[in-house]
């Protein structure tokens, strides 16, 4: 069994029931400097059933102070780290919600706005809520300080440029995200559409590798043994779940088999789900993960698979236009997504190569790894939840 860093009161997030994702009410924050003196990454974990991947808030240093892009839950630990940056580089002046549909990015914004009452709050256009469409003040956004990107201008237009993807009609709402180029550093900030998946587990898991070890096993009655190989196996499998929801290489065994492996000594506690492990991985599952990497086994720039199959299947033209417009930005040196690896070296050639690859390959596949996502898409279409010809 592995040692686990003990939770601290400063990591508490009391609003977790609004979006009950792992690690629920405890959110450890890791702070990394991406570009010295200019760009910082604040990272937490989020997931379901120990399928945990990093989520990022990016902090930019501007002449006026600091800008927060895609806020995270503002625990005391996170706010303490931000106060340290404020003492060095100026106050938090701007908070940006760059997506209209990402609940994990939207829910922390009101709490973050309360923590910095002098900061302006900017949100992407086409904000929506479900099942009722509510005005932003009813959702906790400060009425007097909240602005809509483009409709009310843009913040810090002399230092940043803003580039929308969408809006695309999802039926119940819209998908939209707004990229931001920090001209001084050449860092392009994006939210959910683009990712680069690293082959090794992120540093965030050092404090508690339990999710890695849980998924690194083949059976529920196996102990959680902490080795580099088990961590790597667990990371690869979690990425497959996060990318495809139900990877092609995993099956769900019967209830009798699952229960027969549960309640083993050492695992009879809620932290390990009492030995419940409802997965059976087929031989060769590693190849399914390696397909997400570059030719040399490195992280590569790509469209997030879930969005490719559930958001963009009928609108690759919108995605391609966005990628090709981003490729023309100057100066462009780095990509900083809100999930997985960052910073990722990025150039005009990289974005144009990604766009060219999309044009050349089969789009919105229903085979192999994509089969489960395709079944969800077809179900939503048949029920009339999403349109067959989305606008945007």
């Amino acid at each position: 069994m592995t040692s686990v860093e003990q939770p601290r009161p400063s990591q508490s997030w009391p609003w977790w029931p609004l979006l009950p994702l792992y690690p629920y009410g405890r959110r450890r924050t890791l702070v990394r400097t991406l570009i010295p003196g200019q760009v910082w990454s604040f990272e937490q974990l989020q997931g379901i059933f120990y399928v945990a991947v990093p989520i990022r808030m990016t902090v930019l240093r501007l002449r006026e102070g600091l800008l927060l892009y895609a806020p995270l839950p503002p625990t005391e630990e996170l706010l303490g780290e931000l106060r340290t940056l404020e003492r060095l580089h100026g106050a938090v002046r701007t908070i940006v919600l760059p997506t209209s549909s990402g609940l994990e990015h939207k829910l922390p914004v009101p709490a973050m706005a309360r923590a910095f009452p002098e900061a302006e709050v900017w949100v992407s256009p086409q904000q929506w809520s479900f099942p009722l469409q509510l005005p932003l003040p009813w959702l906790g956004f400060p009425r007097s300080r909240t602005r809509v990107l483009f409709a009310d201008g843009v913040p810090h237009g002399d230092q940043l440029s803003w580039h929308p993807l969408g809006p695309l009609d999802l039926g119940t709402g819209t998908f939209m995200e707004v990229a931001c180029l920090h001209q001084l550093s050449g860092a392009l900030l994006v939210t959910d559409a683009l990712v680069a998946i690293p082959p090794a587990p992120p540093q965030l898991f050092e404090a508690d590798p339990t999710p890695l070890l849980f998924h690194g096993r083949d059976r529920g009655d196996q102990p959680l043994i902490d080795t580099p190989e088990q961590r790597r196996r667990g990371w690869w499998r979690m990425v497959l779940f996060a990318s495809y929801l139900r990877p092609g290489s995993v099956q769900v065994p019967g209830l009798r088999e699952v229960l027969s492996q549960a309640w083993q000594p050492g695992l009879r506690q809620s932290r390990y789900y009492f030995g419940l492990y409802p997965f059976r991985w087929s031989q060769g599952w590693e190849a399914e993960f390696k397909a997400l990497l570059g030719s040399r086994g490195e992280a590569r720039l790509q469209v997030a698979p879930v969005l490719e199959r559930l958001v963009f299947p009928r609108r690759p033209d919108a995605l391609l236009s966005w990628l090709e417009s981003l490729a023309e930005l100057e100066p462009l040196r780095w990509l900083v997504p809100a999930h997985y690896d960052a910073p990722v070296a990025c150039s005009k050639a990289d974005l144009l190569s990604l766009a060219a690859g999309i044009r050349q390959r089969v789009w919105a596949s229903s085979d192999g790894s994509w089969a489960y996502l395709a079944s969800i898409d077809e179900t939503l279409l048949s029920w009339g939840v999403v349109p067959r010809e989305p606008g945007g």
Side-chain angles (χ1 to χ4, degrees), residues 52 89 273:
H89 304 296
Y273 292 102

Side-chain angles (χ1 to χ4, degrees), residues 333-389:
R333 304 186 188 98
W334 304 99
L335 187 81
V336 182
H339 299 278
Y340 292 113
D341 218 1
V344 181
C346 186
S347 66
K348 176 178 181 177
D350 294 324
L351 291 174
L352 292 180
S353 176
L354 177 59
I358 292 172
R359 293 185 186 279
Q360 294 167 6
R361 65 181 173 86
V362 174
W363 186 254
S365 172
S366 299
D367 300 326
S369 303
W370 303 95
Y372 185 70
L373 292 174
S375 70
I376 294 176
D377 185 43
E378 287 301 320
T379 298
L380 294 175
L381 285 171
S382 65
W383 289 354
V385 175
V386 298
R388 291 191 176 273
E389 299 296 334

Side-chain angles (χ1 to χ4, degrees), residues 35-284:
I35 300 174
Q38 299 181 56
V39 186
W40 296 267
S41 174
F42 283 57
E43 299 164 14
Q44 297 177 0
L45 288 176
Q46 73 165 27
I48 299 174
F49 199 65
Y50 277 162
V51 177
V53 297
I55 180 171
R56 172 178 296 106
M57 174 179 74
T58 306
V59 180
L60 299 179
R61 179 188 179 186
L62 304 173
R63 287 193 293 271
E64 299 84 356
L66 301 177
L67 177 144
L68 313 182
Y69 180 95
L72 289 176
T75 62
E76 290 182 17
E77 180 180 59
L78 182 147
L79 292 176
E81 297 284 358
L82 274 178
R83 302 300 183 194
T84 299
L85 284 183
E86 283 191 309
R87 289 192 290 271
L88 295 172
H89 304 296
V92 171
R93 299 295 186 188
T94 311
I95 300 169
V96 178
L97 171 61
T99 174
S100 66
S101 55
L103 278 178
E104 70 275 24
H105 305 294
K106 187 179 302 189
L107 285 175
V109 174
M112 189 70 80
R114 289 192 296 272
F116 298 98
E118 302 301 317
E120 282 194 335
V121 178
W122 289 80
V123 303
S124 75
Q126 303 289 324
Q127 293 296 320
W128 56 281
S129 59
F130 181 85
L132 298 176
Q133 180 63 37
L134 300 175
L136 288 176
W138 289 25
L139 298 174
F141 290 75
R143 184 185 302 272
S144 62
R145 293 186 284 134
T146 300
R147 313 281 184 267
V148 178
L149 288 166
F150 311 119
D152 296 323
V154 294
H156 313 287
D158 59 333
Q159 302 164 74
L160 308 170
S161 60
W162 301 88
H163 308 276
L165 168 58
L168 303 179
D169 184 6
L170 300 180
T172 56
T174 58
F175 172 88
M176 188 171 190
E177 75 169 71
V178 181
C180 171
L181 178 69
H182 183 226
Q183 294 167 356
L184 183 61
S185 66
L188 178 64
L189 279 53
V190 297
T191 315
D192 297 321
L194 300 178
V195 296
I197 296 170
Q203 185 181 347
L204 261 176
F205 288 101
E206 291 299 321
D208 183 3
T210 301
L212 301 174
L213 308 182
F214 180 87
H215 284 286
R217 303 172 299 160
D218 290 319
R219 295 168 53 94
D221 54 5
Q222 292 175 334
L224 276 66
I225 300 175
D226 193 358
T227 67
E229 174 62 15
Q230 287 298 95
R231 291 191 179 201
R232 181 194 65 80
R233 284 163 56 90
W235 172 243
W236 285 22
R237 289 174 173 180
M238 288 196 299
V239 167
L240 288 175
F241 276 121
S243 297
Y244 302 114
L245 302 187
R246 182 172 175 176
S249 53
V250 73
Q251 293 82 42
V252 178
L255 183 61
R256 177 176 295 183
E257 178 179 336
V258 172
L259 292 178
S260 70
Q261 298 173 9
W263 299 91
Q264 296 301 308
L267 299 177
R268 296 172 183 171
Q269 48 184 303
S270 60
R271 181 175 186 82
Y272 308 119
Y273 292 102
F274 303 102
L276 293 175
Y277 186 80
F279 313 116
R280 187 192 299 132
W281 291 87
S282 61
Q283 201 168 25

